[in-house]
Amino acid sequence: MRHFIQLTGLCLLGSMLLTGCQSWSHSKHTSQQQVTMNAVTAQGIAEKIGTVTLQDSAQGLVITTHLSKLPSGMHGFHVHEKGSCDPAMKDGKMAAALAAGAHFNPQQVAHHGTPLTGHLGDLPVLQVDANGNANQKLLAPRLKLSDVHGLAIMVHAGGDNYSDSPKPFGGGGERIACGLIP
């Protein structure tokens, strides 16, 4: 009987240690980052319009938006390859947030697409309500926070059809909001 009690005690202690280690490991891997989002123009970075929170999960990168002052409707939403929201020159004119470069595409996928098929930076479409607010939780299943560290996250003026036709990169057009991912 004494051996049974000792064995039960050891099992209980081992179980508590494993649970503690599992909890520690889980919390260690659920890091998050808050990104300040600003309106952008060809003249530079403008007013703050909200935040985007990025958090790792078992399903991928969870993106929670708390944005305001945007045009209502659907907007292209992407991670871009460079950590800048500054304007840059294109075709002889300054363009908003062009210094952020193209969509994040380390695997050199030849086409724009859905969050499952295109560039790694292709995110779900951002829906903005009639009051100019976007309060959503989106999922980028192929990304984790460590992938996007130091890059930019961008809202485009138009929607995103997840195709390169009839317009390149889903037809999102101009960049209207940008944030730097710490």
Side-chain angles (χ1 to χ4, degrees):
M1 180 71 166
R2 193 175 93 203
H3 290 298
F4 176 75
I5 293 171
Q6 287 176 336
L7 185 57
T8 302
L10 283 174
C11 287
L12 183 58
L13 179 62
S15 175
M16 289 188 313
L17 285 173
L18 285 175
T19 301
C21 289
Q22 183 180 21
S23 297
W24 177 80
S25 175
H26 177 69
S27 65
K28 181 180 174 194
H29 296 300
T30 57
S31 59
Q32 71 177 30
Q33 287 289 334
Q34 188 171 68
V35 178
T36 299
M37 297 292 290
N38 291 82
V40 290
T41 69
Q43 290 72 45
I45 299 168
E47 70 180 312
K48 178 181 174 180
I49 62 162
T51 61
V52 171
T53 302
L54 307 172
Q55 183 171 5
D56 284 328
S57 78
Q59 292 76 34
L61 188 63
V62 176
I63 304 162
T64 306
T65 64
H66 297 288
L67 304 172
S68 61
K69 302 178 184 177
L70 290 168
S72 65
M74 307 270 274
H75 294 271
F77 193 42
H78 307 101
V79 173
H80 282 249
E81 65 185 345
K82 297 178 184 170
S84 177
C85 292
D86 292 330
M89 193 70 72
K90 180 179 181 181
D91 299 328
K93 308 192 286 192
M94 291 301 280
L98 201 59
H103 295 175
F104 178 54
N105 188 17
Q107 297 170 334
Q108 302 302 308
V109 174
H111 57 85
H112 171 68
T114 71
L116 291 173
T117 64
H119 309 137
L120 280 180
D122 293 340
L123 302 176
V125 172
L126 183 68
Q127 180 66 45
V128 178
D129 69 21
N131 296 318
N133 300 313
N135 296 303
Q136 294 178 271
K137 193 171 274 199
L138 307 167
L139 180 67
R142 298 183 300 155
L143 287 176
K144 55 186 180 282
L145 193 53
S146 62
D147 295 331
V148 299
H149 171 74
L151 305 181
I153 190 163
M154 194 77 62
V155 178
H156 292 265
D160 188 339
N161 69 0
Y162 299 121
S163 173
D164 284 320
S165 115
K167 294 183 178 179
F169 306 113
E174 292 181 26
R175 300 161 188 209
I176 61 171
C178 181
L180 301 180
I181 303 168

